[in-house]
Amino acid sequence: MSPRLASACPALLAAVLLAGPVAAETLPVEDPQAAYARCMEMTRDRPRDAFGAAVAWEGLGGGEAARHCAAVALFALGEYAEAAARLEILAEESRQPLPLRLEVLAQAGAGWLRAGRPGRAEAALGTAIRLAETPVEGVPSALPDLLIDRATARADQGRDSAAADDLDRALSLRPNDAEALALRASTLRRLGALAAARADAEAALARDPTHPGALLERGNIHRLAGEASAARAAWMRLLETAPDSPEAAAARENLARLDVQGTDQ
């Protein structure tokens, strides 16, 4: 195990060990591909066991695959900052092809965002973007997704102009991407460009009529325009199509405010 990783999460490691041994033979370590597939499968329904198995496998020479599985298990356990830190180190030290290293950096960015540290997410994603600017023949560019992710990190820091720049670039590379359009609608709304925000929200919904972010923004824009009935309709549609989404939670709060106020503000 890398010295920088060995003591990074002592409390969780102790909890895993005290919970009972996770035998290395739970993974078919003689077949690294099968061991990795099994370990990653475990992260979905038994992440604590997956972490213990990955640590044991790394001790047996599991290398990058074992380290990646351990980090993904930590992410699944809600240890987002620890997972992100491990993923960044893994991407830095990895000898895997560039597309795989970019994926690991994107996962690190997601971890930092979940941990409430968008500045660290922006840094990790910025590294990935710089690497992705060198095209790999026969491999689709990762730039649009990385730019969208960095835009989210920038918006979370209140840097809407910078976020909009990333989204402009993402959409120049992948026009009509519903996620990028919905995110740009949100940033443009906060920047006060309501007409442009409305156009982006509607374009996103033309691409994906049930996109949660676009429906939320449609309602937000209608509310700011003084169109209470249209705002309510957009948010109700969101509750019908994606009731368990974070956007639906925001829509419920907005609807409650409409009910109290009786009108938009």
Side-chain angles (χ1 to χ4, degrees):
M1 179 179 291
S2 167
R4 287 188 286 175
L5 299 183
S7 61
C9 192
L12 182 58
L13 181 56
V16 170
L17 295 175
L18 291 172
V22 180
E25 57 264 28
T26 59
L27 298 179
V29 296
E30 69 284 352
D31 182 344
Q33 288 187 344
Y36 179 68
R38 175 60 180 151
C39 192
M40 293 298 287
E41 180 183 351
M42 289 169 65
T43 66
R44 291 190 284 274
D45 54 9
R46 292 190 291 137
R48 190 172 297 276
D49 289 347
F51 179 76
V55 169
W57 182 27
E58 186 177 354
L60 295 174
E64 291 185 24
R67 291 168 62 187
H68 183 249
C69 185
V72 173
L74 287 170
F75 192 103
L77 287 164
E79 297 286 342
Y80 300 122
E82 175 61 23
R86 287 174 177 243
L87 289 163
E88 278 194 287
I89 293 170
L90 179 57
E92 177 186 342
E93 297 177 349
S94 177
R95 297 182 180 180
Q96 296 299 317
L98 178 60
L100 292 179
R101 285 184 281 134
L102 293 178
E103 183 176 349
V104 172
L105 280 169
Q107 292 171 347
W112 288 124
L113 282 172
R114 289 285 192 95
R117 299 177 67 178
R120 288 292 300 267
E122 181 180 358
L125 292 163
T127 298
I129 287 166
R130 287 191 293 275
L131 291 171
E133 286 172 341
T134 301
V136 177
E137 186 176 356
V139 177
S141 175
L143 268 176
D145 288 324
L146 292 169
L147 287 163
I148 291 168
D149 290 346
R150 188 173 69 175
T152 301
R154 287 176 161 180
D156 282 359
Q157 298 172 81
R159 299 175 58 218
D160 288 312
S161 292
D165 288 343
D166 274 348
L167 294 166
D168 288 346
R169 189 177 174 197
L171 285 163
S172 74
L173 295 169
R174 194 164 67 201
N176 301 318
D177 183 283
E179 182 68 14
L181 286 164
L183 285 171
R184 193 170 66 177
S186 179
T187 60
L188 291 172
R189 170 179 57 80
R190 289 192 296 272
L191 289 168
L194 287 187
R198 187 190 294 264
D200 273 354
E202 295 306 319
L205 289 168
R207 185 77 172 176
D208 179 357
T210 62
H211 190 284
L215 285 170
L216 179 63
E217 281 309 312
R218 173 187 271 175
N220 291 340
I221 293 161
H222 281 310
R223 178 181 62 82
L224 289 171
E227 301 159 357
S229 296
R232 183 182 298 278
W235 292 330
M236 291 300 295
R237 176 64 173 158
L238 171 53
L239 296 184
E240 292 170 5
T241 56
D244 299 324
S245 65
E247 292 85 357
R252 289 187 185 93
E253 293 179 3
N254 292 344
L255 286 165
R257 282 195 288 269
L258 278 186
D259 290 339
V260 170
Q261 296 165 358
T263 185
D264 283 337
Q265 293 183 347

